[in-house]
Amino acid sequence: MIARFKDLCLDAADPRETGAFWARVLDGDLVDLDDGDTRVDPRTARSDAESIWVNRVPEPRTAKTRVHLDLRLAEADPAALLAAGARLVREPDAEVDWWVLADPDGNQFCAFPPGEGARPGPFELIVDAADPAAQSAWWAGVTGGRADTSATGVGFVVDAGGFPWDRWVFVPVPERKSVKNRMHWDVDLTDPEPTALIRAGATLLREPDDAVGWWVLADPEGNEFCAFAPRPSR
């Protein structure tokens, strides 16, 4: 294991509005970070990795969301999500049995019907990929998880270090990544620097500096993520 999953980050034009929406959806507390950003801490979270940091960015969303959460509904339809401020993008049909919705910033996510014995809320992190098998194998290797690929070409990672949900899923899409992802994940390094990550195939985008205390990297398909040095033990 080179790194552990740490949390999610979501870009937004208005972090308070977007954060408040996700706090309502996830039954969480909205934390004002006093710098224009916010954080959503779900009250029933099993770990801090379920927190979502909502960061202000100047640029609007200009492309399809390539990273999103899948949610399991508590009720038979997404009426509560729509009441919370979601926008309906697509109804279930002959091809899909879930709803596609968008948050106030336009970030799309999927909502699935309740499952017997399934916990409502997020259960999968979905990432678009040109090569799902390679992507799932890479992230499984980085985080100490197990990778598998379905007959339809979908890649899965389970038991990734620190990962708080059921599965990390890489789905095949024809289009290549063209702009910065508006949702990304952070990792905690096991070593003081990301040397092992870079040797494994990550690309260094930014070193720590006066503005940020972490590294910004990209995985083999260009998905940005932040890497944090191990926190001092007490």
Side-chain angles (χ1 to χ4, degrees):
M1 184 190 297
I2 299 172
R4 292 176 57 85
F5 187 95
K6 180 179 183 290
D7 49 37
L8 284 178
C9 293
L10 181 62
D11 290 351
D14 186 338
R16 175 159 288 281
E17 178 187 33
T18 302
F21 167 81
W22 283 103
R24 290 192 294 270
V25 166
L26 301 178
D27 187 27
D29 295 317
L30 182 66
V31 181
D32 191 332
L33 300 178
D34 296 326
D35 60 0
D37 296 346
T38 59
R39 190 182 70 241
V40 178
D41 294 335
R43 298 187 186 102
T44 59
R46 290 163 289 192
S47 76
D48 290 344
E50 292 190 53
S51 291
I52 301 176
W53 298 72
V54 188
N55 304 317
R56 185 182 301 278
V57 294
E59 67 275 4
R61 192 176 71 88
T62 58
K64 173 178 177 282
T65 304
R66 291 183 67 89
V67 182
H68 72 266
L69 283 172
D70 281 351
L71 307 184
R72 184 74 65 186
L73 296 171
E75 305 294 337
D77 61 51
L81 298 182
L82 297 173
R87 175 174 57 85
L88 180 63
V89 177
R90 180 176 178 178
E91 295 265 11
D93 54 30
E95 295 181 3
V96 301
D97 63 352
W98 57 86
W99 292 265
V100 180
L101 305 159
D103 72 10
D105 201 69
N107 301 295
Q108 295 181 10
F109 61 99
C110 297
F112 287 72
E116 185 175 352
R119 179 176 181 251
F123 70 100
E124 292 179 328
L125 179 63
I126 310 296
V127 186
D128 288 354
D131 189 340
Q135 281 288 92
S136 57
W138 193 83
W139 277 104
V142 165
T143 59
R146 302 192 319 275
D148 197 5
T149 307
S150 74
T152 58
V154 176
F156 303 93
V157 179
V158 296
D159 296 332
F163 192 77
W165 303 297
D166 296 344
R167 296 187 301 182
W168 198 345
V169 185
F170 295 85
V171 298
V173 296
E175 67 275 2
R176 295 280 179 172
K177 182 176 178 293
S178 59
V179 297
K180 175 178 176 283
N181 289 336
R182 290 188 67 90
M183 176 176 276
H184 73 265
W185 52 92
D186 295 337
V187 299
D188 281 321
L189 298 169
T190 57
D191 292 331
E193 296 187 351
T195 305
L197 265 176
I198 295 168
R199 286 176 179 167
T203 301
L204 179 63
L205 302 179
R206 181 176 179 176
E207 296 266 10
D209 54 30
D210 292 339
V212 301
W214 54 86
W215 293 266
V216 181
L217 302 108
D219 72 11
E221 288 202 4
N223 296 299
E224 303 87 0
F225 65 99
C226 297
F228 291 74
R231 284 162 279 191
S233 57
R234 294 180 178 177

